[in-house]
Amino acid sequence: MEAPIRAREALGFILFSLLFSICRSSSLNHLLISNAERRIDLSSHIVKVYLTLKVENAGSTPTSEVFLSFPPTQVDHLATVEALVTKGKRKKTTLVRLDVKPTELPDAPNDAKYFAIYLENPLKSGESTTLEVLYLLTHSQEPFPAEIAQSESQLVYYRDSALILSPYHIKQQTTFIKTPSTKVESFTRVEPSNRAGTEIKYGPYEDHPPYSFSPILIHFENNSPFAVVEELVREVEISHWGNLQVTEQYTLVHAGARHKGVFSRVDFQSRPTLNGASSLRYLLARLPPRVHSVYYRDEIGNISSSHLRTDSRKSELEIEPRYPLFGGWKATFVIGYGLPLQDFLFETSDDRRYLNFTFGCPLLETVVDKLTIKVVLPEGSKDPSAVVPFPVEQHLETKYSYLDVVGRTVVVMEKKNLVPTHNSHFQVYYTFKPIFMLAEPLMLASAFFLFFVACVAYLHIDLSIRK
Amino acid sequence: MSNSSTSDLLKPFKLKTKQQELLIRVSILCLVYILAFITRLFSVLRYESMIHEFDPYFNYRTTLYLTQHGFYDFWNWFDYESWYPLGRIVGGTLYPGLMVTAALIYRLLHFLRFAVHIREVCVLTAPFFASNTTLVAYFFGKEIWDSGAGLVAAILIAVCPGYISRSVAGSYDNEGVAIFALLFTFYLFVKAVNKGSLAWGLASAFGYFYMVSAWGGYVFIINLIPLYVLVLLITGRYSMRLYVAYNCMYILGMLLAMQIRFVGFQHVQSGEHMAAMGVFFLMQVFYFLDWVKHMLSDTKLFQEFLSITVTCAVAAGGIALGVGAASGYISPWTGRFYSLLDPTYAKDHIPIIASVSEHQPTAWSSFMFDFHILLFLFPAGLYFCFKRLSDATIFIVMYGLTSMYFAGVMVRLILVATPAVCLISAIAVSATVKNLTVLLRSKNKVAQIGSTKGTSSAKASSKASLDQSQPFQKNGAMALLFGAFYLLSRYATHCTWVTSEAYSSPSIVLAARGAHGNRVIFDDYREAYFWLRQNTPPDAKVMSWWDYGYQITAMGNRTVIVDNNTWNNTHIATVGRAMSSYEDEAYEIIRSLDVDYVLVVFGGVTGYSSDDINKFLWMVRIGGGVFPVIKEPDYLVNGEYRVDKGAAPKMLNCLMYKLSYYRFGEMMPEYGKPPGYDRARGVEIGNKDIKLEHLEEAFTTSNWIVRIYKVKPPNNRW
């Protein structure tokens, strides 16, 4: 195993240093990073990376863009990138969120992908600022061995670089990697590097040119269940009679090491810590407060193993799938609940209405591969428009529900690769005349009226031919 | 008076007596209609809106297919997911009435923009049809007796446990709509006989068609109606009305019934339908004779002619039947038909029919359980019917008597007897109560008339004198009336209690009381089926005893070897043989059937008694019926069936025993009992050290009720 890694390492070095010479002339090199610290948290299956960069403008022109670069293999698994800047004097510091957008740069070496951080105030020549960057990676821990038996624990690989990949020169950098337990099978050594407890430290490394790369591989135990929702469809139905009905359809899979061989209930029941350590026994969903009529079911009926705890701040729904999920096992289910409308529906000054609702998945510590949100507006609403804090695919549909004549407008939003940090709010604006609320009751009333009229008419009319 | 002004005001709204009566009648009927529906909703309220038992799962699956793929695909559906590797021609081997009805209701609701799920429609189909049955019972009662009897019949049938047992919400089975169709056909036929009109005859033919499309029990109709006609002919009640009604119903009903593929040409080819044809020809002979009698004035000559023609006709019929039977054109009676006529037949010849608990002869207690007071109101009603004999009462008497006989032969046929019992009991109740109230009222009236007008009629005076001769009559009548009401209210409470306690559990979810009185739910069946659905390859073949076949295909969405449509006895016997062989022999059979998973149901941990170990002797019997290698005595010790240390060696090592008790010896299901204590049978198991060679445990549910084993591929030869 060691030899190919070395070879790749060496190849990487050569390539990057070659490419580095090409981009030397680009406009990027007037910035440099005087100090970088990276903390990689591997304790769950979502990899959290905290990056602290001290950026210095060494050029002559002020600049307001700072670029982050990622290797193409990581970009596919990158769920979110956030950047914050500390503002203010020493004691009264506040964190300000900055805009981050994916960009393309010409002559990007080795298909590296870029994200641009837009500073609030341009960084003048000679000034420096500290940026806090957080990014999350999904599906980045590869189970090895890929199949385990019930009593074995789950071991995974994590691949990254000991050096931070950056388009800028980094004067000094350190990387800390936190593993979930002390059990680490092996890790690539790039001196100076050492391991203490659950932490592996790489660095400090001094003066590395742009696009330095040094692949590392860590093989460690991670028994946290790899809960991945392959597909989630959330339907939010607005009724102006005072209810917001949410229906969520999950396709859940345990994406860890695949289960191999027998499943023994005796062992699972009698020695729960040793057996099926990485199995997924229950999930926690955090629902909005004042939730009512919660249900949890699947295609073949109600699942009786769930508990709901509510207080004034939040509601927690603990759900157990019908069976414990081992690696590679699947479960599909539906969660539905009602919410009071006044908590989520508001009016703007220009007589429009808008729904304010959370975007992501209410399950904690889960990755959603594909999320579809459908906002079903009441019949007769017009000009829908959605405001989402991040880019999503959007289109409109029509849905027919109870007693609908023209159908309800559905705003559909789709996004791939979501993590819990995506649980921010989005808004759907529309116009609606309250008179439409009366359409369905009037229809029912007139149908009953006609029925009684028909009855009366039938009793009074003699249809017989003979007299 | 202040009252006068309000009464003046209300005068335009005041109804005539007849209108009042109509209003009361309609509102009673509406209430009964609603009552019949809601009394069947216990299971939905207590559990959830779900399909119950075994057969309803097949019906649900086919209905789902029908709504998704349309009628033609459904009609031509070849189901390769059951009876692997044979498959099943679904369209040609089922009664489509139920599915088509549910799909039509579903379409109608969606047309009216009620976005319901097809499951809800299926769950509520049986209660809906039960409500409709109450209406039919009302009209039927009105036709044979009077509208009072009709109302009582509607109320009785709305809550009668014998009917509720098969029509609670979720019991989505053929019987749910078939009892409605049965009673409706009978009502229309009796109406046709009473009116002698072609229109009613035609209606009854269509009713019969619906019944044929819904349930195999239509054979009862096609034999009862000819029997009834025959009885009318013998008792000299032949009339033109009967001729029109029967001929129209028989010919059109037969032609319509042939459209159902599962029935096909049976009406002209099967022995069970020959009685109807014979009576049809007899009818023509009668008509001919009637005509000849009309033409001939000489009675002596007619008597001679009569004897010749009757002999000739009977002889011709007999010869035709003999030739048909001998040439194989007319098929002989089937085993199921025989087992109805002779209760001991199935036990000796068809173990697969005898193994089903609902095919057992009925115990007295279950008659009492299902009919309660109707059981002694029934003979009273028969008395009233005989007292006022008419074409209609003869019919209901015959229906009651024959169906009571069949109810005695098979438990499940109590269902068929229920409408007749309710109607006849309703006649008894209605007639009694009417007589009593007439007695009470007439006395007052007589007294009134006597006091106000001196000129009382002779009849009234005679009645009054009669009344005075029995001094306690009024009090007696009052007491009897109260007695009747007490009995009826007891009936209502009994029915509600039976419905809630006995007939409202879905049997797929088991509920028990925990140690602290809380309700514990065992949802193991769905746990296992859903595991199969999600975590096995889509083309996996599952072998289990046939009871669970429909559920596995419907909920687990996997192919099964055998299921509840027990059309191929050999195939079932092969599975029975595999279950009762040693593991390596069984492995050969399993390999030859291309099985991937074996599923067994085991109640040893929870004390669930209807598991596979308790059904095992039937597997041995059915397997042994086809493969003489399997011998029942090998599994018994001195004629006794046991699973503990004293069990027969073959029993302790057969596949079913091994799969049920695999690693159960390490388990302590009950405190203070040794490990491996089987709670369903109350013994410690005899073989605790079970090793499996060719199968491995794939999944066991949380309460061990369902255990699934994976069949290993054969070992490498080197």
Side-chain angles (χ1 to χ4, degrees), chain A residues 4-193:
Chain A
I5 292 169
R6 285 269 163 78
R8 272 172 60 180
E9 209 173 300
L11 189 72
F13 259 124
I14 295 163
L15 272 173
F16 277 109
S17 37
L18 265 174
L19 291 161
F20 165 61
S21 56
I22 301 167
C23 359
R24 210 183 185 92
S25 58
S26 78
S27 61
L28 294 168
N29 57 1
H30 55 266
L31 284 181
L32 67 82
I33 294 168
S34 54
N35 193 3
E37 189 191 277
R38 185 169 57 153
R39 293 186 174 271
I40 302 175
D41 184 1
L42 298 177
S43 51
S44 82
H45 67 297
I46 303 170
V47 179
K48 301 180 188 80
V49 184
Y50 303 93
L51 199 61
T52 312
L53 301 173
K54 197 171 180 199
V55 186
E56 213 176 289
N57 192 347
S60 52
T61 49
T63 177
S64 61
E65 287 180 350
V66 179
F67 293 99
L68 296 172
S69 62
F70 295 94
T73 49
Q74 249 180 20
V75 164
D76 295 341
H77 300 140
L78 195 65
T80 172
V81 184
E82 284 173 23
L84 302 163
V85 68
T86 43
K87 211 177 175 188
K89 292 284 181 301
R90 299 227 162 147
K91 293 224 167 142
K92 286 191 258 171
T93 51
T94 47
L95 288 169
V96 178
R97 184 181 291 264
L98 300 174
D99 268 358
V100 183
K101 274 179 190 153
T103 45
E104 297 274 319
L105 283 187
D107 53 24
N110 248 11
D111 293 330
K113 296 283 186 294
Y114 295 91
F115 280 79
I117 303 172
Y118 298 94
L119 300 174
E120 278 193 315
N121 308 311
L123 199 63
K124 286 177 197 132
S125 172
E127 273 186 350
S128 71
T129 183
T130 307
L131 296 174
E132 303 274 349
V133 178
L134 164 69
Y135 61 89
L136 276 76
L137 299 167
T138 59
H139 297 288
S140 298
Q141 297 182 26
E142 181 203 336
F144 188 86
E147 286 191 340
I148 54 170
Q150 190 182 348
S151 58
E152 289 170 342
S153 64
Q154 182 172 265
L155 299 169
V156 292
Y157 278 149
Y158 176 69
R159 293 190 173 83
D160 207 330
S161 160
L163 301 167
I164 299 167
L165 185 72
S166 172
Y168 309 115
H169 184 93
I170 304 178
K171 276 187 175 166
Q172 192 187 28
Q173 57 175 312
T174 326
T175 295
F176 300 94
I177 296 175
K178 193 177 165 248
T179 55
S181 70
T182 52
K183 203 178 162 196
V184 176
E185 295 281 303
S186 68
F187 65 98
T188 318
R189 289 188 180 275
V190 181
E191 291 305 329
S193 60

Side-chain angles (χ1 to χ4, degrees), chain A residues 251-252 259-267 269-271 297-304 321-326 328-333 400-407 443-444 459-460, chain B residues 22 47-50 57 60 112-117 119-120 521 523 525-535 554-556 662-664 666-667 696-704 707:
Chain A
T251 310
L252 183 75
H259 179 71
K260 177 178 76 178
V262 297
F263 165 71
S264 167
R265 182 64 76 168
V266 181
D267 293 338
Q269 274 174 341
S270 54
R271 289 175 287 273
R297 57 172 301 138
D298 58 27
E299 291 110 306
I300 61 172
N302 179 51
I303 308 169
S304 46
R322 285 191 189 271
Y323 40 85
L325 285 184
F326 282 85
W329 287 13
K330 275 187 181 178
T332 55
F333 54 90
Y400 292 93
S401 183
Y402 287 90
L403 298 175
D404 284 351
V405 182
V406 292
M443 250 161 63
L444 274 183
L459 287 180
H460 284 262
Chain B
L22 180 76
Y47 296 89
E48 56 183 282
S49 153
M50 67 186 296
Y57 270 98
Y60 174 57
L112 296 173
R113 293 269 184 262
F114 286 96
V116 291
H117 192 272
R119 188 190 56 247
E120 321 294 348
I521 282 194
D523 203 357
Y525 280 111
R526 287 193 293 184
E527 183 183 340
Y529 297 145
F530 205 63
W531 183 85
L532 276 177
R533 188 189 187 104
Q534 297 286 338
N535 300 313
M555 283 191 274
Y662 179 65
R663 297 196 71 181
F664 183 64
E666 300 166 36
M667 178 87 181
E696 62 181 21
E697 189 179 1
F699 187 72
T700 298
T701 56
S702 47
N703 298 302
W704 291 55
R707 312 195 69 182

